[in-house]
Amino acid sequence: MIRMETLVNAHTTPLLAALAAQFPRSPAAARLKAAVLFHGVRWDDCLGPAGEWAFPSHMPYQAQPGDTLYKGQSRFYIPQIAQLDDDTHFRIRVKRESPFVIRQGDGPRSFVLAEGDAAVCSLTFEPKHAWAEALSADGTPMRATGLVQHGDMLVANVAPGCEYFVVPKAGVAQRTENLSCQFCLYGVPDQRMDALGQKLFEARVPERTLDRVSEACGHPETHARHLYLVGGSMLDMAAEGERYVQIARRLAEAGLADRYYIACGSGAIERRHMLELKDAGVRGACFNLEVWDPKQFERVCPGKARTVGRDRWLQSLEEAVDVFGRGNVMSAFVGGAELDGEGAMTSAEEAHESNVACGEHLIPRGIVPVYSIFWKLTGKERGVEPLYSLENFLRLNESHAAMRAAYSAKTNPDFFCRRCAYMEMEPDYD
Ligand code: SF4
């Protein structure tokens, strides 16, 4: 078996060697993770059978010309998350031009990551846990209760439809406009809402939906430590706060606040609702601003900008530090979104300076910004990541890690750790 030391001690493969020379302040595993997040892995036939026992990708993989069909099928699930020996986790995406490939190793659940033909390290995949195959008391598959898992984090999304996709147009009956965040696919109001009983512009979640998701979270074999509450945004900030309070109270009744570190991943909400969430056992908050630069925030996140506004969003994050305490507040950003699309910044340097300014503003205030690498998932160029993304991502992570260390504001592993950060790298640096 190829051990992790292979990765730590050898920087002989061309891409990883170049990154080691350029980013010496980054841990070797973080450089590798960033590189594989950016480049993905080439198709290999081992991914089909592994998709049977591993935690599956969000969407089935569509076999491309030249791929071997799996059991005669052209659409099937592949693993979602790779796990290295040192607990580094990263999300898997198949990209045909990648220098990386994952191949079968010596054992049935043992695999090798290679750059070109040179082995880099051994890995396995995050397995499917028993809860994902179980049924709730009323016969609903637990994986259809709004619950997914990222490493050791359960993510409960019982109201996935985001109202920013269908904002009523002022003065025009029956007409809506799309003010969703430019990079977003997962908030589209669709059939998931029917199964969960979600109605747009209604805060309350059906009790039976909460019963089912509570039951799924309570399954003895989740192997999770964190429970993160998310959902589509609402146009009414107060209504969104009420929705999360309802959810948190139901989870607390089921005893889940004792078992998990529960965090609220809503949009910006009012202080009174944060206090009610805290009373219900919620311990952390993560209100995602997505893009730091004010002009780019308005362009990339028009719904957030118009319905809440950047200043109110930042105020809400500071209030969250008052309520939940330092170490318990984060805000997620999409590194590189400010460089994509019409009206984007035109220089990677400008984007870097903006994201450094983000850290300089938030970190001393007890708010940890967490960046995911920008994946181009929408538009004609989807799947083709802008070239600057990888270097920018590592450069940004080095800058923010230094700031977190200087302000004693490292990521709180109760909230966010190496086993759940599969698109972000802050815990890998801290
Ligand atoms: S707020 Fe933005 S990122 Fe979140 S679900 Fe809505 S459109 Fe998507």
Side-chain angles (χ1 to χ4, degrees), residues 263-429:
C264 173
S266 60
I269 55 173
E270 296 176 1
R271 181 193 283 264
R272 63 190 166 113
H273 292 129
M274 296 181 210
L275 291 166
E276 288 176 4
L277 287 168
K278 191 177 180 195
D279 275 351
V282 172
R283 293 163 63 188
C286 187
F287 309 145
N288 301 336
L289 190 61
E290 318 285 6
V291 177
W292 179 252
D293 177 80
K295 207 165 128 216
Q296 294 299 328
F297 174 66
E298 287 201 14
R299 182 183 69 86
V300 178
C301 304
K304 293 186 184 204
R306 207 184 291 178
T307 56
V308 180
R310 185 173 183 274
D311 291 346
R312 182 67 185 91
W313 204 285
L314 291 173
Q315 181 193 333
S316 190
L317 282 166
E318 290 193 36
E319 288 169 353
V321 177
D322 287 345
V323 172
F324 297 106
R326 293 174 86 86
N328 296 300
V329 181
M330 302 195 303
S331 182
F333 291 83
V334 183
E338 58 279 270
L339 282 160
D340 184 66
E342 202 174 319
M345 285 181 178
T346 50
S347 109
E349 193 58 36
E350 187 187 1
H352 179 69
E353 282 169 16
S354 168
N355 288 323
V356 168
C358 167
E360 285 169 344
H361 183 94
L362 294 182
I363 291 171
R365 289 170 170 78
I367 302 155
V368 173
V370 292
Y371 275 77
S372 54
I373 195 164
F374 179 60
W375 276 10
K376 187 103 177 85
L377 295 175
T378 56
K380 275 191 251 156
E381 304 287 303
R382 59 180 169 271
V384 184
E385 269 57 57
L387 275 180
Y388 48 74
S389 304
L390 175 56
E391 287 190 9
N392 265 21
F393 192 50
L394 282 163
R395 210 174 149 206
L396 167 67
N397 268 289
E398 287 194 346
S399 304
H400 278 208
M403 278 187 247
R404 290 194 301 276
Y407 286 100
S408 302
K410 294 194 173 185
T411 42
N412 171 0
D414 289 339
F415 190 162
F416 189 51
C417 73
R418 300 190 74 199
R419 296 207 61 222
C420 55
Y422 72 141
M423 288 280 284
E424 307 83 5
M425 304 212 299
E426 287 77 10
D428 300 299
Y429 281 80

Side-chain angles (χ1 to χ4, degrees), residues 85-119:
D85 293 356
D86 74 341
D87 237 6
T88 303
H89 284 59
F90 56 82
R91 187 164 167 188
I92 293 167
R93 185 165 53 153
V94 175
K95 291 179 82 174
R96 307 188 73 75
E97 307 302 324
S98 174
F100 297 106
V101 65
I102 294 174
R103 298 206 172 93
Q104 188 70 50
D106 295 338
R109 294 196 177 188
S110 166
F111 299 83
V112 175
L113 177 74
E115 183 187 335
D117 288 329

Side-chain angles (χ1 to χ4, degrees), residues 73-365:
Q73 302 294 314
S74 60
R75 271 170 77 79
F76 47 87
Y77 287 94
I78 63 171
Q80 159 121 314
I81 301 178
Q83 177 182 338
L84 306 189
D85 293 356
D86 74 341
D87 237 6
T88 303
H89 284 59
F90 56 82
R91 187 164 167 188
I92 293 167
R93 185 165 53 153
V94 175
K95 291 179 82 174
R96 307 188 73 75
E97 307 302 324
S98 174
F100 297 106
V101 65
I102 294 174
R103 298 206 172 93
Q104 188 70 50
D106 295 338
R109 294 196 177 188
S110 166
F111 299 83
V112 175
L113 177 74
E115 183 187 335
D117 288 329
V120 176
C121 62
S122 61
L123 60 77
T124 188
F125 300 115
E126 181 76 22
K128 208 182 278 180
H129 295 304
W131 75 264
E133 302 289 293
L135 300 178
S136 68
D138 69 0
T140 306
M142 286 189 176
R143 63 173 176 276
T145 60
L147 198 65
V148 295
Q149 186 154 1
H150 301 162
D152 66 353
M153 178 181 281
L154 291 172
V155 180
N157 186 356
V158 291
C162 178
E163 294 173 3
Y164 294 160
F165 282 84
V166 284
V167 178
K169 264 191 157 174
V172 191
Q174 313 289 322
R175 293 291 297 277
T176 61
E177 58 185 326
N178 181 353
L179 298 182
S180 63
C181 305
Q182 274 191 358
F183 51 81
C184 178
L185 284 179
Y186 44 82
V188 182
D190 59 16
Q191 69 283 359
R192 292 170 301 166
M193 290 172 47
D194 302 335
L196 295 164
Q198 182 195 354
K199 295 215 168 24
L200 288 175
F201 313 111
E202 271 183 32
R204 278 200 82 72
V205 178
E207 289 300 327
R208 67 177 185 286
T209 299
L210 295 179
D211 290 345
R212 289 177 190 140
V213 79
S214 301
E215 203 183 332
C217 293
H219 192 285
E221 288 181 66
T222 61
H223 301 278
R225 295 193 304 130
H226 329 268
L227 174 54
Y228 188 45
L229 313 181
V230 300
S233 284
M234 299 192 72
L235 298 183
D236 179 347
M237 194 171 165
E240 186 165 336
E242 280 156 25
R243 172 185 282 170
Y244 280 84
V245 170
Q246 184 207 359
I247 297 168
R249 285 186 177 146
R250 181 67 190 85
L251 297 174
E253 279 166 26
L256 297 163
D258 302 323
R259 176 169 169 190
Y260 300 110
Y261 179 104
I262 301 182
C264 173
S266 60
I269 55 173
E270 296 176 1
R271 181 193 283 264
R272 63 190 166 113
H273 292 129
M274 296 181 210
L275 291 166
E276 288 176 4
L277 287 168
K278 191 177 180 195
D279 275 351
V282 172
R283 293 163 63 188
C286 187
F287 309 145
N288 301 336
L289 190 61
E290 318 285 6
V291 177
W292 179 252
D293 177 80
K295 207 165 128 216
Q296 294 299 328
F297 174 66
E298 287 201 14
R299 182 183 69 86
V300 178
C301 304
K304 293 186 184 204
R306 207 184 291 178
T307 56
V308 180
R310 185 173 183 274
D311 291 346
R312 182 67 185 91
W313 204 285
L314 291 173
Q315 181 193 333
S316 190
L317 282 166
E318 290 193 36
E319 288 169 353
V321 177
D322 287 345
V323 172
F324 297 106
R326 293 174 86 86
N328 296 300
V329 181
M330 302 195 303
S331 182
F333 291 83
V334 183
E338 58 279 270
L339 282 160
D340 184 66
E342 202 174 319
M345 285 181 178
T346 50
S347 109
E349 193 58 36
E350 187 187 1
H352 179 69
E353 282 169 16
S354 168
N355 288 323
V356 168
C358 167
E360 285 169 344
H361 183 94
L362 294 182
I363 291 171
R365 289 170 170 78

